[in-house]
Amino acid sequence: MIVDAHMHIWNHIDGRIGEDRTRASKDGRVFIGDREIQMTPPGFTDSLVTAERAAAYFDGAGVDVGVVVQEYMDGSQNEYLLDVQQRFPDRFFCHALIDFYSPEACAAEFEKVKAQGFKGVKLPAGHLFAAKPRVPLNRPDMMRVYEAMEAEGMVLAVDLAEGSAQVEETCGIAQTFPDLKIALGHFAMANRPEWLDQLRLARLPNVYVESGGICWLFRDEGPPFPGAQKAIETARNEVGADKLMWGSDLPRTMVDFTYRQLLDFARYECAFFTAAEKDGFLGGNAARLYQLKPPTAKREPYPLITE
């Protein structure tokens, strides 16, 4: 089973990065404030990333399930993802996005997404660190959300600011709620200063780490991303292979690389893993964390005409 443990889909763009609003342009581009940038490959002519498009990439590469996380830069996709879960119940696990910029209101917003049936919540923590004023992750109103998530068996997906800036707060959350399942995104910002401080949170029993975005962090190398492989090996030695999950960060990483390249460096390289560890990294660990149903048949990548 192969699980993409960090990817995005959206049917509209209406978000923010700091004080700048984001909106869709065309041909894979978006506006961030007045600046137009390439957000997805140009073939995404309407600059949208639908479930159908993501599933087509899954099928081509032999991926069974995608774990959908959200970002404030895209804007809330909650209503769309509810529809996606109904139409593709076996292909996507979707996290809700709530407005932690307004922590005093997040408990009520959480109750809504819980009632809608979401089994996970995304916490874009790095944005909160950069906010003015900064929003601590351990505010009492936010702690009540984590407590309720723990009671419901939900998963908290967290993208921390690089380095150790939010490690102490996150450690406190994980220890206060030891049955709250936490997935750290972007492979703890490997190759940034103090990334091991962040990674070592996964020594706690309820904390995992996924590699969504690792190919962006090591983009200057290109496939097969030897620095990314070395970071994954370091993480295996630091926290154990059973805490690591592969993720692509589809579609933003695809402005540089194909979806298969984002997967194949892990699928066919990373020789330091045992066969069982490789299976866990590619999907078994995520399947356990997210309680995913095993596929009814092995999904193989389609052969390429260039092969």
Side-chain angles (χ1 to χ4, degrees):
M1 184 175 187
I2 297 183
V3 179
D4 188 338
H6 183 123
M7 44 81 61
H8 303 264
I9 54 178
W10 59 77
N11 71 345
H12 67 284
I13 292 281
D14 181 18
R16 61 186 281 194
I17 298 179
E19 298 302 317
D20 291 325
R21 304 301 303 185
T22 58
R23 65 191 191 280
S25 178
K26 63 178 182 178
D27 298 338
R29 301 189 298 273
V30 302
F31 284 100
I32 300 176
D34 295 327
R35 188 164 62 110
E36 192 175 24
I37 66 166
Q38 196 76 46
M39 178 80 87
T40 69
F44 290 59
T45 54
D46 54 9
S47 298
L48 304 182
V49 186
T50 62
E52 288 82 1
R53 287 176 178 172
Y57 280 101
F58 292 172
D59 289 344
V63 172
D64 295 287
V65 180
V67 176
V68 181
V69 293
Q70 297 198 57
E71 248 288 351
Y72 289 136
M73 76 170 76
D74 306 324
S76 174
Q77 307 296 320
N78 289 351
E79 297 305 316
Y80 178 56
L81 296 184
L82 287 173
D83 175 65
V84 168
Q85 293 269 219
Q86 291 181 347
R87 292 188 294 116
F88 299 91
D90 298 325
R91 299 307 299 275
F92 297 99
F93 178 103
C94 298
H95 290 81
L97 184 69
I98 62 180
D99 186 7
F100 287 108
Y101 280 112
S102 303
E104 66 281 354
C106 66
E109 193 174 0
F110 167 75
E111 289 299 322
K112 177 182 177 180
V113 300
K114 182 184 75 172
Q116 290 173 322
F118 282 103
K119 301 299 183 185
V121 170
K122 173 65 183 295
L123 173 60
H127 288 272
L128 304 183
F129 180 77
K132 297 183 179 6
R134 172 184 172 184
V135 180
L137 304 183
N138 55 0
R139 281 181 51 126
D141 33 23
M142 295 171 68
M143 295 291 276
R144 286 193 288 273
V145 171
Y146 311 143
E147 182 179 20
M149 290 182 64
E150 180 187 46
E152 295 292 328
M154 298 173 71
V155 181
L156 180 68
V158 184
D159 292 344
L160 297 178
E162 63 182 57
S164 60
Q166 295 173 302
V167 166
E168 184 176 351
E169 293 173 6
T170 307
C171 182
I173 293 165
Q175 291 178 325
T176 301
F177 308 110
D179 292 324
L180 173 65
K181 296 177 285 188
I182 299 174
L184 298 178
H186 298 155
F187 215 71
M189 295 300 288
N191 85 359
R192 299 298 199 259
E194 300 179 331
W195 79 278
L196 289 175
D197 292 342
Q198 191 174 138
L199 172 76
R200 288 169 181 148
L201 287 168
R203 290 177 174 175
L204 296 169
N206 53 331
V207 180
Y208 290 66
V209 62
E210 40 88 348
S211 74
I214 198 169
C215 294
W216 154 63
L217 293 170
F218 291 90
R219 66 188 292 272
D220 292 344
E221 295 182 340
F225 308 105
Q229 291 189 54
K230 181 62 178 177
I232 294 168
E233 182 178 18
T234 297
R236 169 187 175 269
N237 296 336
E238 288 281 345
V239 304
D242 62 334
K243 290 298 195 74
L244 309 180
M245 304 180 290
W246 170 76
S248 72
D249 212 357
L250 172 157
R252 283 183 261 273
T253 42
M254 292 167 60
V255 300
D256 286 313
F257 309 108
T258 69
Y259 189 66
R260 283 207 186 193
Q261 288 173 319
L262 299 170
L263 169 59
D264 283 354
F265 91 95
R267 177 161 51 188
Y268 300 127
E269 303 287 340
C270 295
F272 49 85
F273 280 133
T274 68
E277 289 173 343
K278 177 74 73 70
D279 287 345
F281 179 61
L282 291 176
N285 298 335
R288 182 175 67 253
L289 177 66
Y290 291 102
Q291 298 183 330
L292 304 175
K293 296 179 180 178
T296 56
K298 183 174 176 58
R299 194 182 300 273
E300 297 285 356
Y302 283 102
L304 302 176
I305 193 168
T306 50
E307 295 174 319

